[in-house]
Amino acid sequence: MKLSIILLLATILQVSAKSYAQKITLSEKNAPLEKVLKEIREQSGYDFFITQS
């Protein structure tokens, strides 16, 4: 019984994690980092903060 509950819980958590995943399509060669991050931002909605040293 305990094993069944653990397996059920693990399955539910896995399905929940997949529902939050995002797919990003990107195909660049020798592209500047700024361009790559801009494409990711446009597709995902996430912003990036980078400092140059």
Side-chain angles (χ1 to χ4, degrees):
M1 184 67 176
K2 289 182 182 181
L3 180 61
S4 299
I5 293 172
I6 292 172
L7 290 175
L8 180 62
L9 181 61
T11 303
I12 290 171
L13 291 176
Q14 182 67 25
V15 170
S16 176
K18 284 185 179 182
S19 67
Y20 288 107
Q22 293 184 0
K23 298 215 184 228
I24 296 176
T25 305
L26 184 63
S27 178
E28 297 285 340
K29 287 187 178 182
N30 298 323
L33 180 61
E34 292 85 10
K35 183 177 179 184
V36 172
L37 292 177
K38 181 181 176 187
E39 288 291 325
I40 293 172
R41 187 185 78 211
E42 289 175 357
Q43 291 184 31
S44 68
Y46 288 107
D47 288 323
F48 299 92
F49 295 99
I50 297 176
T51 59
Q52 295 180 350
S53 52

